[in-house]
Amino acid sequence: MQPSRPVRAAASGTVTPTHCPYCALQCGMGLAREGEGVKVVERPAFPVNGGALCGKGRTAPAVLSSRVRLTEPLVRSHATGGLVPATWEEALDRVAEGLARTRAAYGADACGVFGGGGLTNEKAYALGKFARVVLGTSQIDYNGRFCMSSAAAAGQRAFGVDRGLPFPLADVARTECVILVGSNLAETMPPALRYLTEMKDNGGSLIVVDPRRTRTAEQADLHLAPRPGTDLALALGLLHLVVAEGHVDEEYVAARTSGWEEARAAAMAHWPEHVERITGVPVPQLRETVRRFGTAEHAMVLTARGPEQQAKGTDTVGAWINLCLATGRPGRPLSGYGCLTGQGNGQGGREHGQKADQLPGYRKLTDPGARAHVAAVWGVDPESLPGPGRSAYELLDALGGDVRALLLMGSNPVVSAPRAAHVEQRIRSLDFLAVADVVLSETAALADVVLPVTQWAEETGTVTNLEGRVLLRRKAVDPPPGVRSDLDVLHGLGDRLGHGKGFPTDPEEVFDELRRASAGGIADYAGITYERLAAGNSEGVFWPCPEGTETDGSVGADGSVGVPHAGTPRLFLERFATQDGRARFVAVAHRGAAEEPDAEYPVLLTTGRVLAQYQSGAQTRRVAELNAAAPGPFVELHPRLAARVGVADGDPVAVVSRRGRATVPARVTAGIRPDTVFMPFHWPGEGRANVLTHPALDPVSRMPEFKVCAVRLEAPG
């Protein structure tokens, strides 16, 4: 399924401009009425994708159908134990009673809240406010913790700010060398591949780091295939060679950074031959990488889940940032470090309060000034706000113990969480579970109350894409009768729990409050309005965008001088967001995975996505065209490993770890390391990849180690 051009609408006036509901590209598209439904039409003026869409975006309206989604509330029958239809009043009453009962019996922190990286900024903001103001609980986090939290932590540590890309995607096409680490962009974000293609057409070099020869790696000038879990050693080895071969930008390092000597000393302990033994990447490839990257006038490192979803993910990303800093890349035109955010609103979703340690505007929950500012917007005493709570996996692991009731919105951890069978057992042990979702996911099927909510085309709201570009997704169709928005849900629950006035249902009203709460914070949205985002064929506004004007000599009709702040497409051009304005090197050293192979479990498992499915598959598995392209799970293994196990292509094979077993068809390919197998994680049942994965957590980001664990393979019979 390659990026495709949808049909062009005949009459542009009948088209609602909006954005795809899936990945963090947030590709522009239009929706035109077609009978009782809608069809996707081209929106070529939107710069991120220029009208191109992958199959997921093109088929997104299929999930709007009442045949595949929830259209009425469901409650657990006391008589039969099954889920049965209910009225909204009954369903909301049950949720409010369940949360209130738990809070009264066990305290506020016995109520947990779990959000999602696909929620709009308005929903994420309201959910965080609901947890802290209505429930008074610290126990809130979201599935974005499983996405790019390690890159976020490393970015904060080095630059003082976390924005996935500190420059527009268009800059990628104009640079001269890109090291792409742990990203199969051709399958996860197909419309973005054009930027790498343009860069190569302009004479640039693409270096891909991945243990598999993916569709993206096939496009590379140089493919490095390290052993899973060794990306940190690889980055340190490259920095060693940058020093040894004279590619350090000494002037930049002296003027714009701190901590170089310590980071340099750490890298020099990782000489090329040592790194080759750890990673399996030959020394000549290491040297060629440094030659291309070090001699380019403009160059970038882009990371994705490969180096990030590790129990040392923050240090691993930090090592790649060190490589960029030593060669003088960040804060210079057409150069720098960036992270390719995964989930649709993975960026905005963590900026405005559904993360365990953050308040709106990317403020720290432990900062007294931040607490005072947000509390004033919310009209509460700063002392009433709870402190930081558990991270996502730790929260899920506490279910049925310290946390007795859970409100979950837009996530499916039964499929997506590490050690998934254990997480499912913890969810089943809850006293009370309420789920708000579009479809009856595997997690929603376990709930006491299921609330059917609106989705992308049925509501208006903002999202923030991987560039930090704030966008307006507009309502194009009415939802089916019996479906309400998440904002309606939070208003109804807040009203029942004594806080109805603080939870409006109009998304623009919520966004205006979000703007005030974010004002002055790292992720400052104060100067962004719905009016600005809706004007013309809006390309969105990059944060930070403070309220106020920039002087251009003009005088408005109301007497104001200048123009509204234009937003910030490129960060760090003059200074970094640290206290002294300097970027910080962090000295790191390689260490092994939480679970290395041994005689009993001799093979490494790594996980990821395929082109036609998305995340836990809760929505894409309901689209016939996508299922035809990717009908089920599989395990990818090298021919030598297949021969050793005794399986042929298509044979069933059991993949076994210390946490569980998955049985799937074998897909034999020479495009993977002989010591490694790969499984996509989109499916439940016998092929559920995350029953195998390891829940070891990064000490800084609290990211689980999805990308590497020890397994063995067993042939049937």
Side-chain angles (χ1 to χ4, degrees), residues 17-163:
T18 189
H19 297 271
C20 176
Y22 291 114
C23 82
L25 284 179
Q26 285 301 294
C27 290
M29 62 166 64
L31 291 180
R33 296 304 297 256
E34 185 176 55
E36 296 183 359
V38 293
K39 64 178 180 181
V40 172
V41 297
E42 190 177 83
R43 190 181 166 193
F46 186 67
V48 173
N49 62 310
L53 294 168
C54 73
K56 294 187 292 291
R58 185 169 43 78
T59 60
V63 188
L64 298 171
S65 170
S66 296
R67 294 189 297 274
V68 301
R69 50 93 60 86
L70 294 164
T71 58
E72 59 185 347
L74 303 172
V75 299
R76 187 72 56 187
S77 168
H78 298 305
T80 67
L83 288 171
V84 297
T87 66
W88 268 98
E89 296 307 306
E90 180 186 357
L92 290 173
D93 285 347
R94 279 215 197 181
V95 177
E97 289 165 4
L99 295 173
R101 182 173 61 249
T102 301
R103 192 178 189 278
Y106 302 105
D109 276 357
C111 294
V113 176
F114 199 88
L119 301 181
T120 63
N121 291 319
E122 294 80 359
K123 295 176 184 179
Y125 170 82
L127 188 62
K129 180 182 178 182
F130 179 86
R132 295 179 173 108
V133 173
V134 178
L135 298 179
T137 182
S138 67
Q139 301 302 300
I140 175 172
D141 210 72
Y142 82 128
N143 63 15
R145 180 78 68 169
F146 301 157
C147 180
M148 60 169 287
S149 59
S150 293
Q156 287 272 22
R157 209 160 62 171
F159 307 128
V161 66
D162 153 41
R163 198 180 86 183

